[in-house]
Amino acid sequence: MANSASIKAYFCSEYVVKGIAESTGISYTNLINGKYKLLLEPIAFFTFNGQKWAMTATEAAKYDNQVGGKLRAKMVSLSHQNLPLSMFLEYADLGFPAYKGSTTKRCSNDTIISSLGLGVVRFTNAPPPPSDQSGSGYEYRVNTDVITPVSLSASNEINPKGTASVTFKINRSTYRVNNIVIPEGESQLVWVKWRTPSTPQTLTVTVNTTKGSLSQNSIQAKIVDLSGKDPPDPKATDTRGSWSAVSIPSRAVKTSASWSVWWAKWHANWVWIENWKWVGSKKGHWVDKGKWKDEGWYDFARNNYSASLSANMSLLPDDKVPTASGNRMKSGYGVKITASASVSTSAPVSNYTTAQTAVSYFPEFKYQTYWRLLELSASGRNARFQFRNNKYSTYNRRSHFVPIWFPDGAYTVNTYIMDVWTPAGMLSANTSSSVQISGSLYADWHIGITD
């Protein structure tokens, strides 16, 4: 096996980095200033089926899939142990995950393709491990379908003869996931899909397994309520005060996720077990009384799944605005919104939720302090959201009023769409749309004096 410290020292040495700079035409100073990273993949040279090959770990795993496991059967120590484990990431980078599995056992093709046989040289300090919601706690919304996952690892093979079960206990309810199989030295996500309570609270999710080891046995689930932050009643006497425009804040966005589930089938390998016996007296003969025995094994493979989220929104003058033209309107009137969120996936419905929550933020409040929790007007994989009925609207419209003092120009509403849950985390999107303000509603009114 390779020595990781020696590999790091070699590829991070000034001599090697200067050589890379010279061969790429990038100056050494520019190469190490943090703008660039080096992606490394070790290569193995070998002869297979009478032909000479040079392959990275990823190429070897993909080729083994094509030839039905024959490469692994021939040279497993090279192709599925030494080569892939010679280099892997300690920290997720360039879209590749950090590898936390066994460094001494043979690896599956799926694990190699996703996580092994690569290294990244960065010329800045290593980033801290990401602090996302895959750790010890999750934040959920009230009355929401969510997914809570854990990772189950198998130091010994878990096969159909003795499957594993994982039990989640949540708020006095028990959920059990059965028939889990995992090859030796591998892992997979195991999850439960459940609905949060209707009131804010913090719950402890406890998790236990019959086989293997879990990434965690206790998870804190914080349930929050986003309602009750509607903007106050707009007044005709409201003034701009010290308000100044701000940029739309960046929010955590994740628009795709992938995960997989192991399955296994028996690979029969019938072998004749000899059992020679002497038959007859002195003139007898030897007879093989043996029998056929299946000395097969389980072949493991993964069902790979993914999900992606696309979102957009449309902001327009409310239908009751008398002088609106297209997306142009005067301040003081209402706007209406349509936000859409589409989820694309081939996974079973137990593996994901569709978009359930959308929150709109407004420039007059600097995209904080007050917001509107939108109403789900169409559910499913093509969900739609709109404003709830505004209690300050004379006609009970689904609208939000632009402050009468808002200056001419773009009035931009920001909508954050979330609660698309998968075993690999929550998908979310940040989208915005604008109307153009020109004048105020005062221009649509006049006082006439008659005799």
Side-chain angles (χ1 to χ4, degrees), residues 160-201:
K161 284 186 176 179
T163 61
S165 296
V166 174
T167 302
F168 297 81
K169 293 185 178 180
I170 309 172
N171 201 22
R172 297 185 298 277
S173 295
T174 300
Y175 307 83
R176 182 170 286 106
V177 183
N178 297 316
N179 301 319
I180 303 167
V181 296
I182 303 175
E184 179 184 356
E186 296 288 349
S187 63
Q188 78 162 57
L189 293 173
V190 181
W191 62 90
V192 59
K193 185 176 180 181
W194 58 288
R195 190 164 184 84
T196 61
S198 59
T199 57
Q201 56 191 281

mmCIF file of all heavy atoms in Angstrom, residues 160-201:
data_model
loop_
_atom_site.group_PDB
_atom_site.id
_atom_site.type_symbol
_atom_site.label_atom_id
_atom_site.label_comp_id
_atom_site.label_asym_id
_atom_site.label_seq_id
_atom_site.Cartn_x
_atom_site.Cartn_y
_atom_site.Cartn_z
ATOM 1 N N PRO A 160 -28.127 -11.424 2.089
ATOM 2 C CA PRO A 160 -29.534 -11.823 2.245
ATOM 3 C C PRO A 160 -29.775 -12.960 3.224
ATOM 4 O O PRO A 160 -30.913 -13.144 3.672
ATOM 5 C CB PRO A 160 -29.940 -12.231 0.819
ATOM 6 C CG PRO A 160 -29.065 -11.395 -0.070
ATOM 7 C CD PRO A 160 -27.754 -11.345 0.650
ATOM 8 N N LYS A 161 -28.732 -13.721 3.575
ATOM 9 C CA LYS A 161 -28.924 -14.768 4.574
ATOM 10 C C LYS A 161 -29.113 -14.195 5.972
ATOM 11 O O LYS A 161 -29.687 -14.849 6.844
ATOM 12 C CB LYS A 161 -27.728 -15.721 4.577
ATOM 13 C CG LYS A 161 -27.705 -16.700 3.415
ATOM 14 C CD LYS A 161 -26.577 -17.702 3.584
ATOM 15 C CE LYS A 161 -26.604 -18.749 2.481
ATOM 16 N NZ LYS A 161 -25.488 -19.727 2.618
ATOM 17 N N GLY A 162 -28.617 -12.994 6.178
ATOM 18 C CA GLY A 162 -28.747 -12.341 7.485
ATOM 19 C C GLY A 162 -28.724 -10.834 7.305
ATOM 20 O O GLY A 162 -27.693 -10.190 7.506
ATOM 21 N N THR A 163 -29.844 -10.291 6.872
ATOM 22 C CA THR A 163 -29.903 -8.867 6.572
ATOM 23 C C THR A 163 -29.883 -8.028 7.848
ATOM 24 O O THR A 163 -30.088 -8.531 8.953
ATOM 25 C CB THR A 163 -31.169 -8.534 5.771
ATOM 26 O OG1 THR A 163 -32.323 -8.892 6.560
ATOM 27 C CG2 THR A 163 -31.206 -9.295 4.460
ATOM 28 N N ALA A 164 -29.652 -6.753 7.658
ATOM 29 C CA ALA A 164 -29.665 -5.808 8.782
ATOM 30 C C ALA A 164 -30.983 -5.056 8.820
ATOM 31 O O ALA A 164 -31.644 -4.867 7.801
ATOM 32 C CB ALA A 164 -28.502 -4.829 8.650
ATOM 33 N N SER A 165 -31.339 -4.606 10.012
ATOM 34 C CA SER A 165 -32.505 -3.747 10.212
ATOM 35 C C SER A 165 -32.079 -2.530 11.022
ATOM 36 O O SER A 165 -31.295 -2.660 11.969
ATOM 37 C CB SER A 165 -33.629 -4.487 10.951
ATOM 38 O OG SER A 165 -34.115 -5.568 10.194
ATOM 39 N N VAL A 166 -32.584 -1.380 10.648
ATOM 40 C CA VAL A 166 -32.305 -0.141 11.373
ATOM 41 C C VAL A 166 -33.628 0.412 11.877
ATOM 42 O O VAL A 166 -34.605 0.515 11.126
ATOM 43 C CB VAL A 166 -31.594 0.894 10.482
ATOM 44 C CG1 VAL A 166 -31.459 2.221 11.209
ATOM 45 C CG2 VAL A 166 -30.225 0.372 10.064
ATOM 46 N N THR A 167 -33.657 0.783 13.155
ATOM 47 C CA THR A 167 -34.872 1.271 13.799
ATOM 48 C C THR A 167 -34.709 2.735 14.208
ATOM 49 O O THR A 167 -33.723 3.096 14.852
ATOM 50 C CB THR A 167 -35.209 0.435 15.050
ATOM 51 O OG1 THR A 167 -35.359 -0.941 14.662
ATOM 52 C CG2 THR A 167 -36.495 0.915 15.695
ATOM 53 N N PHE A 168 -35.658 3.563 13.798
ATOM 54 C CA PHE A 168 -35.716 4.970 14.197
ATOM 55 C C PHE A 168 -36.875 5.151 15.165
ATOM 56 O O PHE A 168 -37.998 4.709 14.883
ATOM 57 C CB PHE A 168 -35.957 5.872 12.975
ATOM 58 C CG PHE A 168 -34.871 5.853 11.946
ATOM 59 C CD1 PHE A 168 -34.787 4.824 11.004
ATOM 60 C CD2 PHE A 168 -33.929 6.871 11.888
ATOM 61 C CE1 PHE A 168 -33.791 4.818 10.039
ATOM 62 C CE2 PHE A 168 -32.930 6.872 10.925
ATOM 63 C CZ PHE A 168 -32.865 5.847 10.005
ATOM 64 N N LYS A 169 -36.611 5.815 16.269
ATOM 65 C CA LYS A 169 -37.675 6.156 17.219
ATOM 66 C C LYS A 169 -37.809 7.669 17.275
ATOM 67 O O LYS A 169 -36.864 8.376 17.653
ATOM 68 C CB LYS A 169 -37.368 5.583 18.596
ATOM 69 C CG LYS A 169 -37.414 4.057 18.629
ATOM 70 C CD LYS A 169 -37.217 3.502 20.025
ATOM 71 C CE LYS A 169 -37.326 1.978 20.021
ATOM 72 N NZ LYS A 169 -37.144 1.411 21.373
ATOM 73 N N ILE A 170 -39.003 8.157 16.864
ATOM 74 C CA ILE A 170 -39.240 9.592 16.745
ATOM 75 C C ILE A 170 -40.583 9.939 17.379
ATOM 76 O O ILE A 170 -41.629 9.459 16.927
ATOM 77 C CB ILE A 170 -39.255 10.043 15.264
ATOM 78 C CG1 ILE A 170 -38.001 9.537 14.524
ATOM 79 C CG2 ILE A 170 -39.366 11.557 15.153
ATOM 80 C CD1 ILE A 170 -38.044 9.777 13.030
ATOM 81 N N ASN A 171 -40.541 10.747 18.417
ATOM 82 C CA ASN A 171 -41.775 11.283 18.995
ATOM 83 C C ASN A 171 -42.806 10.192 19.283
ATOM 84 O O ASN A 171 -43.965 10.280 18.862
ATOM 85 C CB ASN A 171 -42.375 12.343 18.058
ATOM 86 C CG ASN A 171 -43.323 13.280 18.776
ATOM 87 O OD1 ASN A 171 -43.253 13.436 19.983
ATOM 88 N ND2 ASN A 171 -44.215 13.893 18.018
ATOM 89 N N ARG A 172 -42.363 9.169 19.959
ATOM 90 C CA ARG A 172 -43.216 8.044 20.380
ATOM 91 C C ARG A 172 -43.653 7.144 19.225
ATOM 92 O O ARG A 172 -44.506 6.277 19.399
ATOM 93 C CB ARG A 172 -44.454 8.543 21.152
ATOM 94 C CG ARG A 172 -44.113 9.253 22.461
ATOM 95 C CD ARG A 172 -45.364 9.619 23.235
ATOM 96 N NE ARG A 172 -46.205 10.547 22.500
ATOM 97 C CZ ARG A 172 -46.022 11.851 22.470
ATOM 98 N NH1 ARG A 172 -44.987 12.388 23.117
ATOM 99 N NH2 ARG A 172 -46.834 12.634 21.787
ATOM 100 N N SER A 173 -43.090 7.320 18.047
ATOM 101 C CA SER A 173 -43.357 6.429 16.918
ATOM 102 C C SER A 173 -42.082 5.683 16.557
ATOM 103 O O SER A 173 -40.973 6.202 16.714
ATOM 104 C CB SER A 173 -43.859 7.211 15.712
ATOM 105 O OG SER A 173 -45.115 7.797 15.981
ATOM 106 N N THR A 174 -42.245 4.452 16.071
ATOM 107 C CA THR A 174 -41.115 3.617 15.686
ATOM 108 C C THR A 174 -41.192 3.302 14.200
ATOM 109 O O THR A 174 -42.242 2.905 13.695
ATOM 110 C CB THR A 174 -41.100 2.301 16.496
ATOM 111 O OG1 THR A 174 -40.989 2.619 17.891
ATOM 112 C CG2 THR A 174 -39.928 1.430 16.086
ATOM 113 N N TYR A 175 -40.068 3.495 13.523
ATOM 114 C CA TYR A 175 -39.972 3.207 12.088
ATOM 115 C C TYR A 175 -38.819 2.225 11.896
ATOM 116 O O TYR A 175 -37.737 2.433 12.413
ATOM 117 C CB TYR A 175 -39.697 4.477 11.285
ATOM 118 C CG TYR A 175 -40.664 5.620 11.555
ATOM 119 C CD1 TYR A 175 -40.476 6.467 12.644
ATOM 120 C CD2 TYR A 175 -41.750 5.833 10.717
ATOM 121 C CE1 TYR A 175 -41.352 7.519 12.882
ATOM 122 C CE2 TYR A 175 -42.634 6.887 10.948
ATOM 123 C CZ TYR A 175 -42.431 7.718 12.041
ATOM 124 O OH TYR A 175 -43.300 8.752 12.287
ATOM 125 N N ARG A 176 -39.071 1.152 11.114
ATOM 126 C CA ARG A 176 -38.034 0.141 10.934
ATOM 127 C C ARG A 176 -37.746 -0.041 9.438
ATOM 128 O O ARG A 176 -38.659 -0.189 8.629
ATOM 129 C CB ARG A 176 -38.459 -1.183 11.557
ATOM 130 C CG ARG A 176 -37.405 -2.286 11.445
ATOM 131 C CD ARG A 176 -37.768 -3.495 12.280
ATOM 132 N NE ARG A 176 -37.579 -3.239 13.716
ATOM 133 C CZ ARG A 176 -38.565 -3.049 14.577
ATOM 134 N NH1 ARG A 176 -39.821 -3.091 14.169
ATOM 135 N NH2 ARG A 176 -38.314 -2.831 15.856
ATOM 136 N N VAL A 177 -36.462 -0.010 9.100
ATOM 137 C CA VAL A 177 -36.013 -0.267 7.733
ATOM 138 C C VAL A 177 -35.369 -1.648 7.716
ATOM 139 O O VAL A 177 -34.369 -1.885 8.407
ATOM 140 C CB VAL A 177 -34.999 0.796 7.273
ATOM 141 C CG1 VAL A 177 -34.601 0.554 5.822
ATOM 142 C CG2 VAL A 177 -35.576 2.195 7.447
ATOM 143 N N ASN A 178 -35.934 -2.565 6.924
ATOM 144 C CA ASN A 178 -35.494 -3.957 6.930
ATOM 145 C C ASN A 178 -34.772 -4.334 5.639
ATOM 146 O O ASN A 178 -34.706 -3.563 4.686
ATOM 147 C CB ASN A 178 -36.703 -4.880 7.115
ATOM 148 C CG ASN A 178 -37.388 -4.676 8.444
ATOM 149 O OD1 ASN A 178 -36.734 -4.552 9.486
ATOM 150 N ND2 ASN A 178 -38.714 -4.629 8.444
ATOM 151 N N ASN A 179 -34.231 -5.550 5.655
ATOM 152 C CA ASN A 179 -33.637 -6.183 4.467
ATOM 153 C C ASN A 179 -32.492 -5.373 3.867
ATOM 154 O O ASN A 179 -32.360 -5.249 2.644
ATOM 155 C CB ASN A 179 -34.712 -6.430 3.398
ATOM 156 C CG ASN A 179 -35.835 -7.313 3.905
ATOM 157 O OD1 ASN A 179 -35.581 -8.288 4.615
ATOM 158 N ND2 ASN A 179 -37.074 -6.967 3.569
ATOM 159 N N ILE A 180 -31.639 -4.848 4.723
ATOM 160 C CA ILE A 180 -30.478 -4.086 4.271
ATOM 161 C C ILE A 180 -29.313 -5.046 4.044
ATOM 162 O O ILE A 180 -28.994 -5.868 4.900
ATOM 163 C CB ILE A 180 -30.076 -3.029 5.308
ATOM 164 C CG1 ILE A 180 -31.261 -2.092 5.594
ATOM 165 C CG2 ILE A 180 -28.862 -2.228 4.837
ATOM 166 C CD1 ILE A 180 -31.064 -1.229 6.822
ATOM 167 N N VAL A 181 -28.678 -4.949 2.874
ATOM 168 C CA VAL A 181 -27.479 -5.740 2.578
ATOM 169 C C VAL A 181 -26.361 -4.783 2.179
ATOM 170 O O VAL A 181 -26.587 -3.796 1.487
ATOM 171 C CB VAL A 181 -27.740 -6.768 1.460
ATOM 172 C CG1 VAL A 181 -28.781 -7.782 1.904
ATOM 173 C CG2 VAL A 181 -28.169 -6.095 0.168
ATOM 174 N N ILE A 182 -25.146 -5.092 2.640
ATOM 175 C CA ILE A 182 -23.985 -4.246 2.356
ATOM 176 C C ILE A 182 -22.762 -5.153 2.240
ATOM 177 O O ILE A 182 -22.548 -6.012 3.105
ATOM 178 C CB ILE A 182 -23.740 -3.207 3.467
ATOM 179 C CG1 ILE A 182 -24.984 -2.334 3.685
ATOM 180 C CG2 ILE A 182 -22.537 -2.331 3.139
ATOM 181 C CD1 ILE A 182 -24.853 -1.376 4.858
ATOM 182 N N PRO A 183 -21.935 -4.989 1.219
ATOM 183 C CA PRO A 183 -20.715 -5.800 1.132
ATOM 184 C C PRO A 183 -19.699 -5.410 2.194
ATOM 185 O O PRO A 183 -19.758 -4.314 2.775
ATOM 186 C CB PRO A 183 -20.185 -5.501 -0.277
ATOM 187 C CG PRO A 183 -20.783 -4.191 -0.642
ATOM 188 C CD PRO A 183 -22.108 -4.124 0.046
ATOM 189 N N GLU A 184 -18.774 -6.300 2.441
ATOM 190 C CA GLU A 184 -17.737 -6.079 3.451
ATOM 191 C C GLU A 184 -16.965 -4.794 3.173
ATOM 192 O O GLU A 184 -16.547 -4.513 2.048
ATOM 193 C CB GLU A 184 -16.776 -7.261 3.465
ATOM 194 C CG GLU A 184 -15.634 -7.134 4.456
ATOM 195 C CD GLU A 184 -14.668 -8.287 4.365
ATOM 196 O OE1 GLU A 184 -14.925 -9.227 3.574
ATOM 197 O OE2 GLU A 184 -13.652 -8.264 5.075
ATOM 198 N N GLY A 185 -16.812 -3.978 4.212
ATOM 199 C CA GLY A 185 -16.035 -2.754 4.105
ATOM 200 C C GLY A 185 -16.747 -1.589 3.460
ATOM 201 O O GLY A 185 -16.144 -0.537 3.255
ATOM 202 N N GLU A 186 -18.035 -1.748 3.144
ATOM 203 C CA GLU A 186 -18.779 -0.681 2.472
ATOM 204 C C GLU A 186 -19.830 -0.085 3.407
ATOM 205 O O GLU A 186 -19.988 -0.506 4.547
ATOM 206 C CB GLU A 186 -19.458 -1.224 1.207
ATOM 207 C CG GLU A 186 -18.488 -1.711 0.156
ATOM 208 C CD GLU A 186 -17.760 -0.573 -0.514
ATOM 209 O OE1 GLU A 186 -18.153 0.597 -0.320
ATOM 210 O OE2 GLU A 186 -16.777 -0.841 -1.241
ATOM 211 N N SER A 187 -20.565 0.884 2.914
ATOM 212 C CA SER A 187 -21.602 1.539 3.705
ATOM 213 C C SER A 187 -22.690 2.053 2.789
ATOM 214 O O SER A 187 -22.538 2.077 1.560
ATOM 215 C CB SER A 187 -21.014 2.709 4.510
ATOM 216 O OG SER A 187 -20.515 3.702 3.637
ATOM 217 N N GLN A 188 -23.798 2.477 3.373
ATOM 218 C CA GLN A 188 -24.850 3.142 2.612
ATOM 219 C C GLN A 188 -25.707 3.961 3.569
ATOM 220 O O GLN A 188 -25.691 3.771 4.782
ATOM 221 C CB GLN A 188 -25.715 2.140 1.853
ATOM 222 C CG GLN A 188 -26.751 1.414 2.693
ATOM 223 C CD GLN A 188 -27.840 0.770 1.841
ATOM 224 O OE1 GLN A 188 -27.567 -0.026 0.965
ATOM 225 N NE2 GLN A 188 -29.092 1.109 2.136
ATOM 226 N N LEU A 189 -26.433 4.895 2.986
ATOM 227 C CA LEU A 189 -27.388 5.666 3.770
ATOM 228 C C LEU A 189 -28.634 4.841 4.031
ATOM 229 O O LEU A 189 -29.109 4.099 3.165
ATOM 230 C CB LEU A 189 -27.773 6.947 3.031
ATOM 231 C CG LEU A 189 -26.668 8.001 2.864
ATOM 232 C CD1 LEU A 189 -27.150 9.137 1.973
ATOM 233 C CD2 LEU A 189 -26.230 8.542 4.218
ATOM 234 N N VAL A 190 -29.147 4.971 5.240
ATOM 235 C CA VAL A 190 -30.433 4.372 5.616
ATOM 236 C C VAL A 190 -31.262 5.508 6.197
ATOM 237 O O VAL A 190 -30.761 6.310 6.991
ATOM 238 C CB VAL A 190 -30.248 3.252 6.657
ATOM 239 C CG1 VAL A 190 -31.592 2.633 7.016
ATOM 240 C CG2 VAL A 190 -29.280 2.193 6.135
ATOM 241 N N TRP A 191 -32.540 5.591 5.825
ATOM 242 C CA TRP A 191 -33.302 6.766 6.211
ATOM 243 C C TRP A 191 -34.750 6.431 6.530
ATOM 244 O O TRP A 191 -35.248 5.356 6.199
ATOM 245 C CB TRP A 191 -33.266 7.798 5.082
ATOM 246 C CG TRP A 191 -33.898 7.317 3.801
ATOM 247 C CD1 TRP A 191 -35.196 7.437 3.404
ATOM 248 C CD2 TRP A 191 -33.233 6.586 2.752
ATOM 249 N NE1 TRP A 191 -35.384 6.850 2.185
ATOM 250 C CE2 TRP A 191 -34.203 6.324 1.763
ATOM 251 C CE3 TRP A 191 -31.929 6.141 2.557
ATOM 252 C CZ2 TRP A 191 -33.890 5.635 0.587
ATOM 253 C CZ3 TRP A 191 -31.616 5.455 1.389
ATOM 254 C CH2 TRP A 191 -32.592 5.218 0.424
ATOM 255 N N VAL A 192 -35.393 7.401 7.163
ATOM 256 C CA VAL A 192 -36.818 7.302 7.453
ATOM 257 C C VAL A 192 -37.485 8.574 6.941
ATOM 258 O O VAL A 192 -36.933 9.674 7.048
ATOM 259 C CB VAL A 192 -37.070 7.125 8.961
ATOM 260 C CG1 VAL A 192 -36.509 8.290 9.763
ATOM 261 C CG2 VAL A 192 -38.559 6.967 9.253
ATOM 262 N N LYS A 193 -38.652 8.414 6.367
ATOM 263 C CA LYS A 193 -39.462 9.544 5.900
ATOM 264 C C LYS A 193 -40.615 9.709 6.878
ATOM 265 O O LYS A 193 -41.361 8.756 7.144
ATOM 266 C CB LYS A 193 -39.981 9.272 4.486
ATOM 267 C CG LYS A 193 -40.734 10.417 3.835
ATOM 268 C CD LYS A 193 -41.115 10.038 2.405
ATOM 269 C CE LYS A 193 -41.876 11.148 1.707
ATOM 270 N NZ LYS A 193 -42.260 10.764 0.324
ATOM 271 N N TRP A 194 -40.754 10.911 7.440
ATOM 272 C CA TRP A 194 -41.775 11.130 8.458
ATOM 273 C C TRP A 194 -42.275 12.568 8.392
ATOM 274 O O TRP A 194 -41.721 13.386 7.675
ATOM 275 C CB TRP A 194 -41.229 10.813 9.848
ATOM 276 C CG TRP A 194 -40.018 11.605 10.255
ATOM 277 C CD1 TRP A 194 -38.750 11.472 9.776
ATOM 278 C CD2 TRP A 194 -39.975 12.648 11.233
ATOM 279 N NE1 TRP A 194 -37.905 12.360 10.385
ATOM 280 C CE2 TRP A 194 -38.625 13.104 11.285
ATOM 281 C CE3 TRP A 194 -40.915 13.238 12.067
ATOM 282 C CZ2 TRP A 194 -38.209 14.122 12.144
ATOM 283 C CZ3 TRP A 194 -40.494 14.250 12.921
ATOM 284 C CH2 TRP A 194 -39.169 14.683 12.963
ATOM 285 N N ARG A 195 -43.329 12.847 9.119
ATOM 286 C CA ARG A 195 -43.928 14.182 9.111
ATOM 287 C C ARG A 195 -43.710 14.838 10.474
ATOM 288 O O ARG A 195 -43.958 14.234 11.516
ATOM 289 C CB ARG A 195 -45.423 14.142 8.781
ATOM 290 C CG ARG A 195 -46.005 15.529 8.531
ATOM 291 C CD ARG A 195 -47.343 15.471 7.836
ATOM 292 N NE ARG A 195 -47.855 16.810 7.525
ATOM 293 C CZ ARG A 195 -47.519 17.508 6.449
ATOM 294 N NH1 ARG A 195 -46.677 16.988 5.571
ATOM 295 N NH2 ARG A 195 -48.022 18.709 6.233
ATOM 296 N N THR A 196 -43.281 16.093 10.432
ATOM 297 C CA THR A 196 -42.983 16.813 11.667
ATOM 298 C C THR A 196 -44.268 17.236 12.382
ATOM 299 O O THR A 196 -45.327 17.358 11.762
ATOM 300 C CB THR A 196 -42.129 18.052 11.374
ATOM 301 O OG1 THR A 196 -42.858 18.925 10.497
ATOM 302 C CG2 THR A 196 -40.821 17.655 10.719
ATOM 303 N N PRO A 197 -44.182 17.495 13.675
ATOM 304 C CA PRO A 197 -45.365 17.954 14.428
ATOM 305 C C PRO A 197 -45.826 19.340 13.976
ATOM 306 O O PRO A 197 -45.130 20.039 13.235
ATOM 307 C CB PRO A 197 -44.856 17.987 15.870
ATOM 308 C CG PRO A 197 -43.614 17.174 15.896
ATOM 309 C CD PRO A 197 -43.011 17.292 14.538
ATOM 310 N N SER A 198 -46.991 19.737 14.465
ATOM 311 C CA SER A 198 -47.588 21.024 14.075
ATOM 312 C C SER A 198 -47.131 22.178 14.949
ATOM 313 O O SER A 198 -47.484 23.331 14.690
ATOM 314 C CB SER A 198 -49.116 20.920 14.127
ATOM 315 O OG SER A 198 -49.540 20.567 15.434
ATOM 316 N N THR A 199 -46.344 21.887 15.983
ATOM 317 C CA THR A 199 -45.881 22.950 16.886
ATOM 318 C C THR A 199 -44.359 22.935 16.983
ATOM 319 O O THR A 199 -43.738 21.868 16.908
ATOM 320 C CB THR A 199 -46.474 22.777 18.298
ATOM 321 O OG1 THR A 199 -46.130 21.475 18.800
ATOM 322 C CG2 THR A 199 -47.990 22.915 18.257
ATOM 323 N N PRO A 200 -43.736 24.094 17.168
ATOM 324 C CA PRO A 200 -42.271 24.140 17.294
ATOM 325 C C PRO A 200 -41.807 23.375 18.522
ATOM 326 O O PRO A 200 -42.411 23.458 19.591
ATOM 327 C CB PRO A 200 -41.982 25.636 17.427
ATOM 328 C CG PRO A 200 -43.187 26.327 16.890
ATOM 329 C CD PRO A 200 -44.352 25.441 17.198
ATOM 330 N N GLN A 201 -40.729 22.644 18.383
ATOM 331 C CA GLN A 201 -40.151 21.878 19.488
ATOM 332 C C GLN A 201 -38.839 21.263 19.035
ATOM 333 O O GLN A 201 -38.470 21.343 17.855
ATOM 334 C CB GLN A 201 -41.115 20.771 19.940
ATOM 335 C CG GLN A 201 -41.539 19.831 18.822
ATOM 336 C CD GLN A 201 -42.682 18.931 19.250
ATOM 337 O OE1 GLN A 201 -42.468 17.932 19.947
ATOM 338 N NE2 GLN A 201 -43.896 19.293 18.847
#
